[in-house]
Amino acid sequence: MKRKLARFAENETFPHVFQPKMFPPQDHELKGRWHERFFKNNHPIVLELGCGRGEYTVNLAEKFPEKNFIGVDWKGARLWRGAKTSHENKMPNVAFLRIMIQNIGYFFSKDEVNEIWITFPDPQPQQSRERKRLTSPRFLNLYRQFLAPGGVIHLKTDNKPLFDYTLEVISETNSRKIYSTDDLYHSDADNEILGIKTTYEKMFLEQGLKICYLKFILNG
Ligand SMILES: C[S@@+](CC[C@H](N)C(=O)[O-])C[C@H]1O[C@@H](n2cnc3c(N)ncnc32)[C@H](O)[C@@H]1O
């Protein structure tokens, strides 16, 4: 608990960590202004949703300095890890946003985001929790509000039912699948980018689980 509190406190000191208190809910001052007010460039913006410790955010930001990356998660003590690393490495193209993703519409405006990564989201297997799945029609509708035309969504998961569910949602919502595999590391898609491994992915691989990967465009 002490360590968690220390991380929360350090998050408050990072200029690239945003943890807005929004009661009542309202548009954030950065909505529609991330380029102008924070990144100070016009580079494409990429989100990692449910980023945990932000492995994709930090690794992709290192590989692609000409893009901006924002890791989004509710859990401050996890997100602290990526925030600390990107702060220590003075990475100008990284930010973290500590919010419930249900509220993401208050933070990004039409066409402001160019790409989304959803990395090992909680599968929420009970039917009663379908609305909480980050690839449910409810969430895809939220992303549609700010994802630019042609903007790609990547999903990595160990959870085959969630993978199959997402494929179904895509076909039912008229979205366009670009690529899918239920065994990434034995597929032709395995590459340096898809091979970035998050904390949860390492755990699942140790358990011998296969990794599913899906790339799609909303209503393409
Ligand atoms: C299973 S963990 C995966 C974390 C990380 N992507 C990884 O692969 O190691 C799922 C993460 O999603 C976050 N999360 C799930 N639903 C969320 C929501 N609605 N809003 C914000 N964060 C959420 C959790 O806090 C958690 O850190």
Side-chain angles (χ1 to χ4, degrees), residues 14-15 21 24 79-80 87 121 149 160 180-181 196 213 216:
F14 292 140
K21 298 166 186 62
L79 166 163
W80 168 89
H87 184 68
K160 183 74 163 58
S180 73
T181 171
I196 294 171
Y213 168 69
F216 64 101

Side-chain angles (χ1 to χ4, degrees), residues 48-53 55 72-75 78 99-102 119-122 124 132 134 139 198-201:
E48 183 187 5
L49 302 181
C51 68
R53 297 183 179 177
E55 283 93 352
V72 185
D73 204 294
W74 175 243
K75 295 203 169 156
R78 284 190 186 171
I99 56 164
M100 288 301 286
I101 296 164
Q102 285 81 338
T119 50
F120 299 88
D122 297 318
Q124 309 286 4
K132 298 198 176 228
L134 293 184
F139 277 96
T198 70
T199 303
Y200 272 78
E201 177 167 3

Side-chain angles (χ1 to χ4, degrees), residues 2 34 36 47 62 94 141 158 196:
K2 228 170 148 186
W34 283 90
E36 166 200 333
L47 303 184
E62 260 169 19
V94 175
N141 278 333
D158 63 300
I196 294 171

Side-chain angles (χ1 to χ4, degrees), residues 17-40:
V17 173
F18 299 91
Q19 14 188 20
K21 298 166 186 62
M22 306 210 339
F23 300 103
Q26 56 195 303
D27 281 350
H28 191 262
E29 58 184 8
L30 283 171
K31 179 173 176 171
R33 300 193 177 93
W34 283 90
H35 285 122
E36 166 200 333
R37 293 205 178 166
F38 181 73
F39 291 114
K40 319 275 188 208

Side-chain angles (χ1 to χ4, degrees), residues 152-164:
V152 162
I153 302 182
H154 308 262
L155 168 70
K156 274 181 93 176
T157 179
D158 63 300
N159 190 278
K160 183 74 163 58
L162 181 75
F163 174 71
D164 290 338

